[in-house]
Structures are given as C-alpha cells and as structure tokens.
Amino acid sequence: MLPAPRPAADAPAPEIEEVEDDQELILEDLTHDQVLDWRARAAAWTPPRRMPTTMPPGCGWMPS
C-alpha cells in the first residue's frame, strides 16, 4: 500500500521580470589558471555511486 499523495502547496507563482533580448551578457573575467583549475576539477568529478537494485542470487546481500 502506498501513502496518500501530499496536497499541493498554496504558494503564489513567482513573478518573472521582463527580459530584454538585446541586454548585454556580462561574464566573469577568469585568469588562465582559474580556467585550468575549473577544468581539472570538472574532469576529476565522478557521480555518486548508487546501490544496485538487484543482486545476483547467493551473494549474501539479502536472505534467501
């Protein structure tokens, strides 16, 4: 049996500001070393490991 769904929150919708299409895009100025550091950290990142949903029989993970 599944629990009953939660009721929706009674929060007002957020107001969206008007955006101009010709607005200048300003990017942060980064040094060469900052870019290299960012790229190295991004390359070294690994996603979190997930527990497998099924295990082979006899592995001892769950009682038979």
Side-chain angles (χ1 to χ4, degrees):
M1 177 179 230
L2 296 175
R6 291 179 145 185
D10 291 331
E15 293 184 25
I16 299 174
E17 294 182 24
E18 194 66 32
V19 177
E20 297 179 23
D21 290 337
D22 59 347
Q23 184 177 8
E24 182 181 350
L25 179 62
I26 300 173
L27 300 176
E28 181 181 351
D29 292 328
L30 299 175
T31 66
H32 182 69
D33 290 338
Q34 288 173 316
V35 172
L36 292 179
D37 180 54
W38 178 84
R39 291 180 66 188
R41 286 187 287 126
W45 182 83
T46 56
R49 295 181 56 114
R50 294 184 58 201
M51 185 70 170
T53 55
T54 58
M55 297 295 288
C59 70
W61 182 60
M62 292 185 67
S64 303

